[in-house]
Amino acid sequence: MAGIDLYLKYVFVSFFFCSDPANSEKYPQFNADLQMYNIDLTAPDPAWFMSSFISAELAAKANKWQGRNVTRWRSEEYDRLYEAAGSEVDPVKRAAMFIRMNDLLIQNIVVIPVLWRNGVSASALRLRGLDLSGWDSTFWHLPYWYKA
């Protein structure tokens, strides 16, 4: 026993991800202390994924809950870093900015990484050229796979 009151509620996926602004059970309204769902990084560049936490993307009644920042977390430092990363051409400096943004998300408990869904895309002792990326699917480098 953890010594806390806990109320678990399951919301059907059709309600949770619907676009109806009148539905109070959809994820952008975030009417709980904690909510669990999976968000994926779908591109090798982290900018689109990290934009989910900028103040300009805040989900609110005024924008019919259409903003991507469903946690409604605000950080001037995060916003400045995101803006600066958009025009940074040095890949090392840009990567450092995204690492700092990620650190802010974790340190402020905006995101609690609970699960890593490990998967196998290919398996062979002689397979080379995989060059896996933490920012994309394992197939991003598929044209360069080869057998040794």
Side-chain angles (χ1 to χ4, degrees):
M1 175 156 252
I4 57 172
D5 289 331
L6 182 65
Y7 174 70
L8 294 176
K9 180 180 179 181
Y10 174 81
V11 178
F12 285 102
V13 70
S14 59
F15 292 114
F16 193 68
F17 291 110
C18 88
S19 61
D20 179 4
N23 176 9
S24 64
E25 292 189 328
K26 64 183 185 178
Y27 77 100
Q29 290 192 356
F30 193 53
N31 293 318
D33 294 323
L34 188 67
Q35 125 178 324
M36 183 181 89
Y37 68 96
N38 185 43
I39 52 177
D40 293 330
L41 182 66
T42 58
D45 185 272
W48 174 250
F49 176 82
M50 299 301 263
S51 72
S52 299
F53 304 101
I54 58 174
S55 298
E57 284 289 333
L58 211 73
K61 188 175 184 177
N63 64 11
K64 298 182 181 176
W65 308 104
Q66 296 303 306
R68 296 185 66 239
N69 183 349
V70 299
T71 64
R72 294 190 285 285
W73 175 71
R74 291 177 184 242
S75 166
E76 289 181 17
E77 181 183 1
Y78 188 95
D79 291 347
R80 277 193 309 272
L81 285 164
Y82 183 83
E83 187 70 29
S87 59
E88 181 57 62
V89 294
D90 182 334
V92 174
K93 288 180 183 176
R94 190 167 188 270
M97 291 176 185
F98 281 113
I99 289 168
R100 177 63 185 142
M101 283 186 266
N102 186 71
D103 290 347
L104 286 168
L105 293 172
I106 300 303
Q107 291 164 359
N108 288 279
I109 314 170
V110 179
V111 175
I112 304 171
V114 178
L115 173 67
W116 176 44
R117 292 190 173 117
N118 192 14
V120 176
S121 299
S123 179
L125 292 175
R126 295 177 34 206
L127 188 61
R128 302 290 182 263
L130 286 154
D131 197 19
L132 299 176
S133 164
W135 296 109
D136 199 1
S137 82
T138 54
F139 291 117
W140 80 274
H141 207 238
L142 182 63
Y144 302 99
W145 292 8
Y146 63 94
K147 282 189 177 181

